[in-house]
């Protein structure tokens, strides 16, 4: 009987894989994400082959440089393949994975879920922490693309819109961060999962995913707003029992973020506000202060190239957010506007709209709105070509340690 079961298992698994591949909501996201992964991977190798990157001098005095060489030994598996992606925040996450958090360390602004995952995976890939980080972010990126496709199918019943949205997202100039050692893909996957779980009234799953999102990025606490709205809409015709069932989903994201903040406090690791202000030079101001500062500096020709890119990304988000507000559920506009407001609260005395070009990737409703606007296949192709070229320019800068976002 056991032998019969074992003989049948591979055939069952094969049928399952084939059946899943025939499902367009799985096949199309896999193809689009795989294209992003393969194209950027090949481009990265070609870039370092044509013009090898040299380590910046500031890395020696930067805390993220303390574990830079330990994270990627030359003898590590696939070291040369993943080295072009060992940049900026990736080094910070790996530093935490190796050392943990230390008192008064700038690294406390990075929540623990991603570094913990890297630490767990690294031993299975020969101690290659960079490879571990990439495996996690790429897996999460693929899941995020599948979940976004399924969300659009559920909400709009339009597979062509789902395709356009994923193409718009994959071709966006900073989309290579989905396959880099960053948290964009993980946060997006957890956020989309929480939205879907809430729509399907799976409250415990929604609560867990929202809490994990809060443990990936501090802004994860904001998920309580759109999830609360979804719960409210479903609750209007229900009683107290239904309210109590939905409460964990609404509070999960807050619990995730507050738990990390409590961990910092209990272990005397320092103050997040101090770390932002004195170690990252980011201060809390009203969003309009950053806009006014940028306009003033732009009029005096004092802005940087990446700062101008961030300003364009901000304009894109605002325009798409208006379309989201008009054409989509209030939960989506709550997510976009609240996330944007919190991002703009972090005010830099120098360059403005810090990393806005990268944070735009998290605004998934904006890309659904963009998919609505770009309804013609030739327009979509033109967007992909133009935006894709911009992506390669930014990827080249990223690999050569030139700040992008």
């Amino acid at each position: 009987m056991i032998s019969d079961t074992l003989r049948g298992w591979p055939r069952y698994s094969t049928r399952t894989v084939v059946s899943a591949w025939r499902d367009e909501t799985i096949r199309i996201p896999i193809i689009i994400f795989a294209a992003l992964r393969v194209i950027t991977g090949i481009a990265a190798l070609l870039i370092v082959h044509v013009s090898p990157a040299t380590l910046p001098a500031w890395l020696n005095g930067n805390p993220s440089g303390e574990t830079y060489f330990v994270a990627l030994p030359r003898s590590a598996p696939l070291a040369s393949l993943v080295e072009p992606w060992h940049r900026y925040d990736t080094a910070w996450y790996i530093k935490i994975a190796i050392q943990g958090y230390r008192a008064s360390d700038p690294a406390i602004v990075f929540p623990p879920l991603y570094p913990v995952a890297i630490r767990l995976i690294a031993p299975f890939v020969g101690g290659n922490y960079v490879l571990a980080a990439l495996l996690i972010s790429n897996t999460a990126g693929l899941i995020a693309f599948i979940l976004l496709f399924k969300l659009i199918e559920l909400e709009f019943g339009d597979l062509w819109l789902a395709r356009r949205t994923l193409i718009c997202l994959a071709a966006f100039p900073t989309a290579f961060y989905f396959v880099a050692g960053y948290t964009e893909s993980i946060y997006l996957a957890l956020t989309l999962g929480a939205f879907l779980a809430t729509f399907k009234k799976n409250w415990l799953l929604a609560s867990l995913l929202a809490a994990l999102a809060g443990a990936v990025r501090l802004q994860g606490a904001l998920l309580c707003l759109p999830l609360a709205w979804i719960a409210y809409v479903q609750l209007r015709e229900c009683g107290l029992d239904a309210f109590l069932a939905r409460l964990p989903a609404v509070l999960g994201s807050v619990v995730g973020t507050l738990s990390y903040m409590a961990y910092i406090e209990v272990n005397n690791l320092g103050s997040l506000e101090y770390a932002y202000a004195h170690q990252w030079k980011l201060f809390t101001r009203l969003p309009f202060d950053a806009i006014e500062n940028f306009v003033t500096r732009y009029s005096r020709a004092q802005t940087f190239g990446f700062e101008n890119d961030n300003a364009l990304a901000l304009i894109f988000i605002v325009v798409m957010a208006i379309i989201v507000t008009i054409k989509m559920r209030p939960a989506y506009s709550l997510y976009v506007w609240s996330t944007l407001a919190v991002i703009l609260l972090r005010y830099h005395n120098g360059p403005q709209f810090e990393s806005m070009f990268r944070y735009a990737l998290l605004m998934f409703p904006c890309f659904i709105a963009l998919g609505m606007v770009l309804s013609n296949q030739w327009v979509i192709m033109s967007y992909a070509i133009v935006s894709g070229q911009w992506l390669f320019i930014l990827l080249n800068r990223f690999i050569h340690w030139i700040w992008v976002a």
Side-chain angles (χ1 to χ4, degrees):
M1 182 179 295
I2 295 176
S3 61
D4 291 340
T5 301
L6 291 175
R7 283 197 299 270
W9 182 79
R11 291 196 298 272
Y12 174 78
S13 298
T14 302
R15 287 196 299 270
T16 303
V17 171
V18 171
S19 176
W21 183 252
R22 289 174 179 171
D23 184 349
E24 191 171 6
T25 65
I26 295 178
R27 183 179 71 254
I28 298 303
I30 289 176
I31 291 173
I32 294 175
F33 185 81
L36 172 64
R37 172 65 277 183
V38 171
I39 291 172
T40 54
I42 293 174
L45 292 177
L46 290 175
I47 288 170
V48 295
H49 176 74
V50 173
S51 177
T54 56
L55 294 179
W58 56 260
L59 190 63
N60 290 327
N62 190 284
S64 66
E66 294 176 8
T67 57
Y68 189 84
F69 297 102
V70 177
L72 186 61
R74 292 183 179 180
S75 59
L78 304 177
S80 60
L81 188 66
V82 302
E83 192 283 329
W85 302 95
H86 193 193
R87 301 291 185 269
Y88 293 110
D89 286 5
T90 304
W92 280 104
Y93 290 118
I94 291 174
K95 166 186 162 63
I96 299 169
I98 295 174
Q99 294 182 340
Y101 294 104
R102 298 186 298 184
S104 302
D105 193 323
I108 63 171
V109 302
F110 299 100
L113 185 58
Y114 188 37
V116 168
I118 294 172
R119 186 180 182 91
L120 292 175
I121 297 298
F124 296 98
V125 289
N128 187 336
Y129 283 85
V130 180
L131 178 58
L134 295 182
L135 287 174
I136 296 165
S137 59
N138 279 257
T139 301
L142 177 57
I143 293 172
F145 272 51
I146 293 173
L147 291 178
L148 180 55
F149 199 100
K150 288 184 174 294
L151 177 66
I152 297 171
E153 180 196 31
L154 176 68
E155 284 285 88
F156 304 97
D158 188 342
L159 296 183
W160 174 224
L161 172 61
R163 287 190 185 189
R164 296 198 306 270
T165 300
L166 261 61
I167 291 172
C168 290
L169 184 58
F172 195 70
T174 53
F176 63 87
Y177 282 105
F178 281 134
V179 297
Y182 276 64
T183 58
E184 271 64 27
S185 56
I186 304 170
Y187 184 81
L188 184 59
L190 292 169
T191 297
L192 289 166
F195 266 83
L196 277 168
T198 307
F199 285 141
K200 295 182 178 182
K201 302 180 182 179
N202 191 335
W203 310 114
L204 291 180
L205 178 59
S207 175
L208 174 62
L209 294 174
L212 291 175
V216 171
R217 303 180 74 98
L218 293 174
Q219 70 201 56
L222 296 173
L223 282 176
C224 69
L225 299 177
L227 298 188
W229 180 265
I230 297 170
Y232 165 72
V233 171
Q234 296 177 355
L235 184 63
R236 283 182 295 189
E237 298 179 359
C238 303
L240 180 61
D241 291 342
F243 170 78
L244 294 176
R246 287 162 173 77
L247 195 58
V250 175
L251 298 180
S253 59
V254 178
V255 170
T257 300
L258 291 182
S259 295
Y260 175 58
M261 296 177 70
Y263 172 82
I264 292 175
E265 183 68 24
V266 169
N267 290 277
N268 297 314
L269 295 176
S271 163
L272 283 172
E273 197 60 35
Y274 179 88
Y276 275 117
H278 297 277
Q279 296 169 312
W280 295 95
K281 309 304 179 185
L282 292 170
F283 305 90
T284 302
R285 298 288 190 276
L286 292 175
F288 296 106
D289 290 340
I291 297 173
E292 181 182 3
N293 187 300
F294 172 80
V295 172
T296 301
R297 296 178 67 250
Y298 185 81
S299 65
R300 298 172 180 172
Q302 295 176 343
T303 56
F304 298 94
F306 67 85
E307 187 179 0
N308 297 332
D309 289 346
N310 284 332
L312 290 175
L314 174 60
I315 294 171
F316 163 77
I317 293 172
V318 171
V319 172
M320 291 300 108
I322 293 172
I323 297 175
V324 169
T325 304
I326 295 171
K327 293 194 171 187
M328 297 170 64
R329 291 194 197 202
Y332 295 111
S333 58
L334 273 172
Y335 172 76
V336 172
W337 289 115
S338 62
T339 302
L340 179 60
V342 167
I343 292 171
L344 288 175
L345 282 174
R346 285 298 169 189
Y347 176 98
H348 204 292
N349 284 336
Q352 300 305 300
F353 318 129
E354 184 75 12
S355 300
M356 186 66 68
F357 212 1
R358 171 162 54 90
Y359 293 154
L361 298 174
L362 304 178
M363 310 290 191
F364 71 90
C366 292
F367 288 94
I368 299 176
L370 183 60
M372 292 176 176
V373 173
L374 306 181
S375 58
N376 183 280
Q377 62 178 346
W378 298 108
V379 176
I380 282 287
M381 289 178 61
S382 299
Y383 163 85
I385 292 171
V386 173
S387 187
Q389 291 176 337
W390 197 352
L391 184 153
F392 291 128
I393 293 172
L394 296 184
L395 178 60
N396 179 62
R397 293 176 182 172
F398 173 80
I399 290 174
H400 285 97
W401 293 93
I402 300 173
W403 183 250
V404 173

